[in-house]
Amino acid sequence: MQLLRLRPAFGQHSVSYLTTIEGNKSTVPESACFIVKDATRWDKFGLIVMLCQIMFIMIRVRPDVVITTGAAPGVFAIRIGKLLRARTIWVDSMANVDALSMSGTLVGPYADLWLTQWEDLERKNGPFYKGSVL
Amino acid sequence: MIFVTVGSEIAFDRMLSVVDNWAASTGEEVFAQIGPSEMQLSHVQYKQFLPPAEYQNYIKHCTAIIAHAGMGTILSAMQHCKPVVIMPRMAKYQETRNDHQVATARRLGNRAGIYVAMDEDALKEQLTNIHLLKAGGAVSSYASDELIETIKCFIDGKSK
């Protein structure tokens, strides 16, 4: 939902969305939308399924840029994106107000652009604060 | 009509009980999206999950929203200029993985149109005054200009 508020940034580029919620497909009728299994760090098997799904999708789509607000799917997408030589952006979810998300701290340093939506979470080497979705 | 939503991931029966009891005593028209819960509400119409179009419809036509402190709902409420009472889920009740919703509630609680109920008693109080709550001013459908510009420049920076 936060990603949709970034739509003006996508300009005329072709956009594909990846989400764990089937219902989200109807919110982006103008774009491709792929659904993957939802899983958290406590569901190892689910994570493996999700990883495979994301890998197949990204190999097919071959994005030039990968942008995500997290969490587990975002981590996979950024790491696979880098392997596919895409440029990557991690925007830490606005819900993480007091501390960065765990996934953000894990993968943020690998992203080409690592952002937080709360000014006081900004650090010298990232994440950087450049505004928020609200 | 008051719209209640708890998101689609985890149940939040603690909040729903308070709302159901309030609806019983006031006869208010309430519709609730209750998530993966087996709770039977007696004075509230409810569904476990709503497709996005139906969810947007309830947001558009309600007078106020009661919700868990989830970013998606808060954004929807602000975009549609509806007052929203947010009650954070708590890890100690196994309502969520950690207390980030408590932090969200504290951080956003002083924005216009967002009202916080940290516990059941606070929620009862907000419900008593539900028709007096005012929405915040209109917010744009999109993120701040700076964030959009930063991302746009990054995307276009080395376009092939």
Side-chain angles (χ1 to χ4, degrees):
Chain A
M1 216 203 146
Q2 294 177 58
L3 276 178
L4 294 185
R5 291 178 66 84
L6 297 173
R7 262 193 289 212
F10 308 154
Q12 298 306 317
H13 297 285
S14 131
V15 183
S16 299
Y17 292 92
L18 191 130
T19 176
T20 55
I21 302 173
E22 174 91 44
N24 283 343
K25 226 172 165 158
S26 57
T27 62
V28 288
E30 72 286 359
S31 300
C33 185
F34 301 95
I35 317 291
V36 296
K37 182 177 174 29
D38 196 6
T40 63
R41 61 185 187 261
W42 292 279
D43 174 13
K44 296 282 190 281
F45 178 72
L47 284 179
I48 292 171
V49 172
M50 183 204 287
L51 173 61
C52 293
Q53 288 178 319
I54 295 179
M55 231 166 32
F56 285 127
I57 290 166
M58 289 184 71
I59 287 171
R60 247 174 66 199
V61 172
R62 292 266 168 187
D64 298 297
V65 180
V66 176
I67 172 169
T68 179
T69 56
V75 171
F76 290 144
I78 297 271
R79 298 308 293 266
I80 295 169
K82 291 248 55 125
L83 289 174
L84 295 174
R85 303 199 192 286
R87 287 174 298 125
T88 57
I89 308 175
W90 178 279
V91 184
D92 213 57
S93 167
M94 201 173 172
N96 301 310
V97 307
D98 277 351
L100 298 176
S101 61
M102 192 190 86
S103 43
T105 349
L106 275 176
V107 89
Y110 294 99
D112 297 301
L113 183 59
W114 181 21
L115 299 174
T116 171
Q117 298 189 57
W118 295 100
E119 206 161 358
D120 44 313
L121 296 182
E122 189 176 36
R123 297 284 174 273
K124 207 170 73 164
N125 295 320
F128 303 103
Y129 170 73
K130 297 281 179 198
S132 63
V133 297
L134 196 60
Chain B
M1 180 260 303
I2 306 294
F3 179 52
V4 183
T5 174
V6 307
S8 54
E9 290 180 25
I10 312 176
F12 194 14
D13 294 351
R14 186 169 57 104
M15 183 182 91
L16 294 174
S17 295
V18 176
V19 176
D20 199 30
N21 290 334
W22 172 73
S25 64
T26 58
E28 284 278 355
E29 185 192 353
V30 180
F31 184 89
Q33 175 269 320
I34 68 171
S37 164
E38 298 303 325
M39 196 173 179
Q40 307 283 322
L41 299 171
S42 46
H43 292 88
V44 166
Q45 296 227 299
Y46 61 94
K47 258 191 195 173
Q48 283 190 318
F49 305 105
L50 293 173
E54 223 180 305
Y55 173 87
Q56 290 299 326
N57 210 37
Y58 278 109
I59 299 264
K60 257 193 209 141
H61 293 107
C62 71
T63 45
I65 303 168
I66 313 289
H68 70 153
M71 267 329 294
T73 312
I74 294 171
L75 287 173
S76 293
M78 297 191 77
Q79 276 173 215
H80 288 90
C81 289
K82 303 288 174 175
V84 58
V85 178
I86 54 175
M87 183 170 166
R89 292 168 177 277
M90 295 198 182
K92 67 181 177 187
Y93 297 121
Q94 271 124 43
E95 294 164 344
T96 180
R97 297 184 259 282
N98 54 42
D99 281 341
H100 71 280
Q101 286 208 357
V102 175
T104 300
R106 287 210 187 103
R107 193 66 84 99
L108 294 180
N110 50 15
R111 292 216 187 193
I114 301 180
Y115 302 87
V116 176
M118 282 299 190
D119 57 28
E120 291 94 307
D121 288 331
L123 180 59
K124 280 184 200 147
E125 210 180 304
Q126 295 285 8
L127 286 169
T128 310
N129 299 316
I130 194 85
H131 292 291
L132 301 173
L133 301 183
K134 299 217 178 347
V139 299
S140 90
S141 306
Y142 299 115
S144 71
D145 288 340
E146 191 191 358
L147 184 57
I148 298 219
E149 206 43 49
T150 303
I151 292 177
K152 187 173 194 323
C153 285
F154 178 89
I155 291 174
D156 292 338
K158 296 175 199 162
S159 269
K160 294 170 189 165

